[in-house]
Amino acid sequence: MTRRAGCIFSASFAAFLLFLFVWTLPASAQEQFFNRNPDFLYMQSLGDGKCNPKTATTIARFLREHNGRLSGQTAERYAKLITDAAKDFGVDPVLVAAIVVKESTARANTSAHGCYGLMQIKWSAHRKSIARAFPHIKTLKDLMVPENNIRVGTYFLANHIRRYNGDIDRALDRYKGRANAKYKRTLLQFYTRMMKSYRS
C-alpha cells in the first residue's frame, strides 16, 4: 500500500469511527430537532386530537404550495389519507406530511434509487415485511397507490419511533437510513411552517 493510499484509508476509517460514535450517542448528547421542539411537543399534547379537519386543511394547503400541479381535490384526499394513517398508527400527521413533501414533493409516481411513491419506500428491501403487515400489497404497483404508500410509510415511521422509545430524531434517522442532520432540519422547517399556518 502506498503512503497516499494509507492516508486515504486512515481518513475513511476515522470518518467511519466518527459516524459510529455519533450514532451511538445518547439522544441527550445529539443535536435535537423534534424531541424538544415546542411546536412538536404541543401537537403531541393533543393526542388523537391532532388528527383533526383543521390539521388536514393545513396539510392540503402545504402540499399544494410545494406541488403546483396538485389539484385541490387531490391535495385534500392526500391530507385525509395522511391524517387517517397517522391516527391509526399513533404518529403526528404534520410530521408525516413533512416527510411526504421532502421525499416526493407530493408526487405519487416519484421513484429514485429504488424508492417509490409519496413516502419513497424502498421496495426491494421491504417487500417481505410489507406483505406481512399489509397482505393486500403484493406488488410494486400496489405500493404506488397513494393510500397504500402513505400507510406503509407511516407504519414504518411508527415502528421506528417505538424502537427508539419515542425518540423522534433517531426514528427519522432510521427512516432515512442514516443519521442526517440536513434531512431533519428540512423536515423541521416544513413542520414549523405548517404549524404557523395551523395556529393562524
Side-chain angles (χ1 to χ4, degrees), residues 5-138:
C7 289
I8 293 173
F9 175 79
S10 298
S12 299
F13 186 66
F16 175 71
L17 290 178
L18 178 62
F19 170 80
L20 286 180
F21 174 72
V22 172
W23 183 265
T24 56
L25 280 174
S28 60
Q30 297 181 38
E31 187 176 5
Q32 300 290 294
F33 292 89
F34 285 90
N35 292 326
R36 298 174 185 171
N37 180 268
D39 283 329
F40 184 77
L41 294 175
Y42 167 75
M43 286 299 278
Q44 305 328 295
S45 73
L46 300 180
D48 283 348
K50 61 183 172 287
C51 301
N52 59 51
K54 183 178 178 181
T55 304
T57 299
T58 300
I59 290 171
R61 186 182 304 121
F62 193 73
L63 296 179
R64 290 201 73 195
E65 285 177 13
H66 285 268
N67 182 354
R69 296 184 177 182
L70 206 61
S71 70
Q73 184 178 11
T74 300
E76 290 172 6
R77 182 166 66 91
Y78 288 176
K80 180 70 162 53
L81 292 174
I82 288 170
T83 54
D84 285 350
K87 186 173 183 178
D88 288 345
F89 296 116
V91 300
D92 188 329
V94 180
L95 179 58
V96 176
I99 293 172
V100 167
V101 172
K102 173 60 179 170
E103 292 288 353
S104 67
T105 323
R107 290 177 167 84
N109 293 323
T110 297
S111 63
H113 310 294
C115 299
Y116 299 89
L118 289 166
M119 297 192 71
Q120 289 294 277
I121 310 300
K122 199 170 188 68
W123 176 246
S124 62
H126 301 297
R127 59 191 303 174
K128 291 182 179 179
S129 59
I130 291 171
R132 285 195 297 271
F134 303 92
H136 66 287
I137 303 177
K138 298 179 172 64

Side-chain angles (χ1 to χ4, degrees), residues 88-91 154-167 171:
D88 288 345
F89 296 116
V91 300
T154 305
Y155 168 80
F156 283 155
L157 178 63
N159 285 347
H160 299 330
I161 292 170
R162 281 193 293 272
R163 176 177 181 174
Y164 292 110
N165 299 312
D167 186 327

